[in-house]
Amino acid sequence: MAQTLRTQPIASYDDAPPPAPMTLSADAVVDRIWDTTRWKPLVLVSCVLDDRPKVSLDRLTSAIGDAAEILVITASEAWNLQRRVPRGFEAYGGAIRVVLPDATENDPSERHPLFFTFDNDNPADTVSRISSCLTRNDFTRTKSEQPPKPPATPRQQRRAQKLRDALRTIDRLEEDNTALTATVHDLRAVNTDLAEQLAQAKADMDELVDELDEATCPHPIVYSDPEEQLRHEIWLTWLTSTAETDRAAQPLCDYDLGPDFLDSMNLQLVSRGRILDVVVDVLTRRVHQIPARRSHPLRTADAGNAPQRTRPDGAAAWRCDLKTGKAGGPRLAWWQHPDGRIELGKASHHDDYALR
């Protein structure tokens, strides 16, 4: 036989005095739900983890009077109840379930509406919604001092039934909306987690690519002079990266090395092979047709409408990315002379705008 867990009053969130109803065990609640002699609704009030309801029990009792039975169940017993009854009869986490009489295990969940009180909600609004639910299901408190109402006309009965049906639909939609809101919240959390994993995976991939580039020597050293060795490597890179059928249309233009270029090759901003690939793109002019290189004029100021930097000899400054997709990554800078000759400036950090 079901028994009462405790008889001491329950403190509510707004510190209202506790009402008389005792906190029942899951077994006791199950007995009341399936009791075929029960003719009043059950208002099943679940508690949060500290065993307090989210609404004032005094206010709830005052609002519904003897129109329904108020049952209170602790957080732990609420979980036990969830395992004992079908979906549509459970209540936990501070939610309140109204269980109508003549309940059966085959009832749809919307027949016994569930009411939530979220952190930003006014508990009094929840009490009002429960009271309205009882009223539209024809369960009202006894008021002996009021004269009996005259019987409703058939038209009034039809209109009242339509109103009750509409209000039941509203209750069901509110419950569905609450469930959907929780689902959206969970999906957003999953999406954030997946985005973080994707960003980390991309960072790991970039790091592995950089390590592979560093570990790969693009060409053997065949000249003791650094400039001669670099020109040899540029020529070999052009040969290996340009199809034989395209070499006539994409030749290496005449070029010079600026005063800082050889030293910048040793800064290890990116691999030597990566710099050689970009240099060949610049010297064949195809750098301007490759979106990933993001070639653009090197301007005299940060403003987008600032003029392009030039020298007295007429050379114009240009820059492009050394790393694909790196907004703040290293850059390659060069001078474009009016006669078409290129002067390779240097490989540098993104914020290094100096160019001799």
Side-chain angles (χ1 to χ4, degrees), residues 23 27 54 94 110-111 120-121 183-184 204 233 255 275:
T23 302
D27 289 338
K54 283 192 171 184
E110 59 267 21
R111 181 172 186 263
N120 295 327
D121 291 346
T183 301
V184 169
D204 293 342
E233 293 179 14
Y255 67 94
I275 296 177

Side-chain angles (χ1 to χ4, degrees), residues 49-310:
L49 293 180
D50 55 359
D51 285 343
R52 291 187 296 168
K54 283 192 171 184
V55 301
S56 166
L57 296 179
D58 270 357
R59 179 173 292 167
L60 181 61
T61 303
S62 176
I64 67 177
D66 59 355
E69 298 179 32
I70 299 177
L71 306 181
V72 183
I73 188 167
T74 64
S76 60
E77 287 298 308
W79 288 111
N80 291 334
L81 177 65
Q82 185 182 12
R83 293 190 290 267
R84 298 282 309 279
V85 294
R87 184 178 182 275
F89 292 95
E90 76 284 359
Y92 53 87
I96 299 176
R97 174 82 67 178
V98 174
V99 182
L100 299 178
D102 301 322
T104 69
E105 294 185 358
N106 297 323
D107 285 352
S109 59
E110 59 267 21
R111 181 172 186 263
H112 310 287
L114 186 65
F115 299 88
F116 296 93
T117 305
F118 296 105
D119 292 341
N120 295 327
D121 291 346
N122 184 351
D125 293 340
T126 304
V127 172
S128 297
R129 292 167 55 209
I130 293 172
S131 179
S132 298
C133 173
L134 293 173
T135 299
R136 62 177 170 265
N137 282 282
D138 295 329
F139 295 102
T140 56
R141 61 189 304 161
T142 302
K143 294 183 178 180
S144 57
E145 69 277 5
Q146 294 183 350
K149 295 182 179 179
T153 65
R155 181 182 180 185
Q156 290 174 329
Q157 291 176 357
R158 290 192 299 271
R159 296 177 68 179
Q161 184 60 47
K162 289 182 179 179
L163 177 60
R164 286 193 294 269
D165 292 342
L167 292 174
R168 289 193 186 99
T169 300
I170 291 173
D171 286 341
R172 187 185 72 253
L173 292 176
E174 286 180 346
E175 186 173 347
D176 291 345
N177 181 67
T178 300
L180 288 174
T181 300
T183 301
V184 169
H185 179 271
D186 292 342
L187 290 175
R188 285 177 176 169
V190 171
N191 182 66
T192 300
D193 184 58
L194 291 176
E196 293 175 353
Q197 294 181 32
L198 177 61
Q200 183 60 47
K202 289 182 177 179
D204 293 342
M205 182 184 69
D206 289 341
E207 184 176 350
L208 290 173
V209 170
D210 290 342
E211 291 177 359
L212 180 62
D213 287 343
E214 292 294 338
T216 304
C217 181
H219 304 291
I221 298 176
V222 295
Y223 291 100
S224 59
D225 180 76
E227 181 173 344
E228 290 297 325
Q229 175 65 29
L230 176 60
R231 289 180 177 273
H232 174 69
E233 293 179 14
I234 291 174
W235 180 72
L236 289 178
T237 302
W238 172 73
L239 284 178
T240 57
S241 65
T242 307
E244 184 176 2
T245 55
D246 296 333
R247 290 172 188 166
Q250 299 179 15
L252 291 174
C253 70
D254 293 336
Y255 67 94
D256 299 317
L257 302 184
D260 300 318
F261 192 76
L262 284 174
D263 290 339
S264 72
M265 293 286 291
N266 300 320
L267 294 178
Q268 296 183 348
L269 300 175
V270 294
S271 68
R272 187 178 182 88
R274 180 72 62 86
I275 296 177
L276 290 171
D277 288 339
V278 178
V279 165
V280 168
D281 288 340
V282 171
L283 297 181
T284 56
R285 321 290 187 184
R286 63 192 181 207
V287 67
H288 303 299
Q289 281 76 49
I290 303 175
R293 297 295 186 218
R294 298 199 303 176
S295 62
H296 56 277
L298 179 57
R299 303 186 184 278
T300 57
D302 291 338
N305 58 353
Q308 186 174 15
R309 188 182 304 181
T310 59

